[in-house]
Amino acid sequence: MSRFLSERFEKLCAYVPGEQPKDMEYIKLNTNESPYPPSPEVLRAVDENLLSGLRLYSDPECRRLREAIAKENGVSLENVFLGNGSDEVLSFIFMAYCDNKTGVSYPDISYGFYSVYSDLYGLSKNEVPLREDFSIDPRDYMNLGSTVVIANPNAPTGLCLSLEDIEKIAKSNPHNLVAIDEAYVDFGGDSGIELTKSCDNLLVVRTFSKSRSLAGARLGFAIGNPELIADLEKLRYSTNPFNVNSLSLAVGLAALEGKDYYDRIIYDIIQARECAAQKMREMGFDLTESRGNFLFAKHANLSGIELYLGLKSRGILVRHFKKPRIDDYIRITVGTPRQMDVMLCALKEMLTI
Ligand SMILES: *Cc1c(COP(=O)(O)O)cnc(C)c1O
């Protein structure tokens, strides 16, 4: 840290992304990326024409992609906000709707960026403990009078709240914004997008990173009522109106044309998840009922760090969180059936020595 850094960032702890080591070829099951490439439409979308268009600024309105997202989700253009990954969308939400008076509430075990953004923007944070079984108690979020952010399915537990509960949370906090982060919803959750039509304080946040195999393109969006979208646009135009580059805009549009392809790979990932979960239960693992593209598991005979290191030494990267209550667990991204078999073999070996 230099002596010039503003005092308000001195204590800020930055988000730590999953490791991307280059010392060898790992089977990478640590950052919830898709094991499958983007759709054939996406692979064809990047041509010379698109590349020569890079001399121009990207469309600051992101109009074509926002229209396509609106159509796919049964809403209108003015209900869609596009960002450079949903991380950026979330950043604008924390910037826009939380201050020290309202504060922000989110589960104590959830996506790590919520606490980072709270600190970045100097917000008072209310980290609400999950229940013993890691589920969210919806009553904890009713009549809170603070901004609420909930991942549904939650990460890294994979557990879902019902739409009835989301609706109750939104309706009981009419003077506060409620944001639902649906990064994993395509793998088995129910989307709250319909609810945004009757709850004017509800924003649903989505990403192309996980189910659309486009983590590197950085595309995320929020859906909500037009006044909320206008708030976010105001902040976006005050930060970087060209936040989504033209290659990503084209690639995102192409991805929305590949519905059959994506339906199939999502189906395959869900099958691989259920198959691996069952085999791990047979080996004595304790797993949550994950509705994401990952498993969250612990074993009585090996600690979380032992599981993580044992897999890493066998060429398989998973995520371990050094955090109270979950440091016995590892989070395993669901890969191809072949990758899952290799991972299961490694676990079996670790448990027999
Ligand atoms: C992966 C993830 C994100 C971030 O996605 P990007 O669109 O790649 O920025 C947001 N929220 C949760 C819960 C995630 O797991």
Side-chain angles (χ1 to χ4, degrees):
M1 188 166 52
S2 83
R3 64 186 194 278
F4 308 109
L5 182 68
S6 165
E7 231 176 71
R8 62 186 199 281
F9 300 128
E10 268 175 17
K11 294 217 179 69
L12 179 68
C13 291
Y15 179 76
V16 182
E19 60 190 325
Q20 316 268 6
K22 301 278 178 272
D23 59 330
M24 61 175 268
E25 280 276 318
Y26 287 94
I27 294 183
K28 209 172 159 302
L29 305 178
N30 68 330
T31 46
N32 294 348
E33 292 146 321
S34 175
Y36 301 110
S39 71
E41 288 84 352
V42 171
L43 303 182
R44 281 196 300 267
V46 182
D47 58 14
E48 242 175 77
N49 205 15
L50 184 68
L51 292 172
S52 57
L54 284 175
R55 72 187 180 82
L56 301 172
Y57 281 108
S58 59
D59 172 15
E61 279 188 63
C62 307
R63 201 176 177 95
R64 287 182 66 201
L65 181 53
R66 284 172 58 226
E67 275 168 354
I69 290 169
K71 186 154 169 257
E72 165 144 310
N73 291 286
V75 296
S76 310
L77 177 68
E78 66 269 20
N79 298 112
V80 181
F81 176 81
L82 198 68
N84 191 314
S86 58
D87 286 339
E88 190 192 53
V89 176
L90 289 163
S91 168
F92 284 126
I93 291 173
F94 277 76
M95 198 192 290
Y97 299 110
C98 315
D99 52 36
N100 256 330
K101 261 197 332 266
T102 58
V104 54
S105 302
Y106 52 85
D108 64 338
I109 295 166
S110 192
Y111 185 41
F113 243 125
Y114 304 156
S115 128
V116 175
Y117 285 142
S118 303
D119 293 344
L120 177 63
Y121 298 122
L123 311 171
S124 58
K125 40 186 189 178
N126 172 28
E127 301 191 335
V128 184
L130 294 180
R131 288 192 279 223
E132 203 50 46
D133 64 357
F134 294 146
S135 63
I136 289 172
D137 186 341
R139 289 167 303 184
D140 290 341
Y141 295 86
M142 285 175 202
N143 310 299
L144 262 187
S146 88
T147 304
V148 173
V149 179
I150 294 177
N152 194 39
N154 195 14
T157 63
L159 300 180
C160 287
L161 269 182
S162 70
L163 290 184
E164 293 85 81
D165 287 335
I166 302 275
E167 185 172 15
K168 281 188 205 157
I169 291 168
K171 293 247 155 92
S172 74
N173 292 287
H175 306 300
N176 297 96
L177 185 101
V178 175
I180 303 299
D181 180 352
E182 296 188 347
Y184 299 107
V185 74
D186 290 330
F187 300 104
D190 292 320
S191 175
I193 287 177
E194 246 346 87
L195 285 177
T196 62
K197 295 174 182 170
S198 56
C199 303
D200 68 357
N201 60 335
L202 186 66
L203 273 172
V204 167
V205 181
R206 293 277 197 91
T207 177
F208 282 66
S209 294
K210 316 283 163 59
S211 60
R212 302 266 177 192
S213 307
L214 283 173
R218 313 307 301 129
L219 285 170
F221 59 95
I223 290 186
N225 97 60
E227 287 177 13
L228 297 178
I229 302 306
D231 298 337
L232 296 172
E233 288 294 4
K234 182 168 162 173
L235 298 184
R236 185 175 73 91
Y237 274 86
S238 307
T239 308
N240 177 10
F242 307 107
N243 58 332
V244 185
N245 72 73
S246 33
L247 298 187
S248 295
L249 288 174
V251 150
L253 199 59
L256 293 180
E257 287 160 18
K259 189 167 180 325
D260 292 347
Y261 172 84
Y262 285 110
D263 284 349
R264 209 189 69 232
I265 63 169
I266 289 167
Y267 177 83
D268 288 346
I269 289 168
I270 294 172
Q271 294 299 108
R273 175 185 76 203
E274 295 307 311
C275 178
Q278 191 194 328
K279 287 181 182 154
M280 286 176 69
R281 287 200 173 94
E282 286 162 10
M283 287 184 225
F285 279 91
D286 198 349
L287 289 93
T288 56
E289 284 293 337
S290 173
R291 293 282 167 270
N293 64 340
F294 53 86
L295 296 166
F296 194 55
K298 70 168 177 180
H299 197 285
N301 302 354
L302 291 170
S303 69
I305 193 76
E306 285 170 328
L307 288 167
Y308 161 80
L309 289 173
L311 286 170
K312 187 169 180 181
S313 71
R314 289 166 177 80
I316 302 154
L317 280 185
V318 299
R319 192 91 197 248
H320 173 251
F321 300 92
K322 285 191 194 72
K323 222 185 130 137
R325 287 184 73 188
I326 58 167
D327 62 355
D328 273 344
Y329 283 79
I330 51 169
R331 189 195 69 190
I332 308 167
T333 303
V334 178
T336 61
R338 166 112 187 84
Q339 289 175 321
M340 296 314 268
D341 282 344
V342 175
M343 185 274 301
L344 291 164
C345 271
L347 288 178
K348 211 168 259 169
E349 188 181 287
M350 287 156 58
L351 287 167
T352 49
I353 49 175

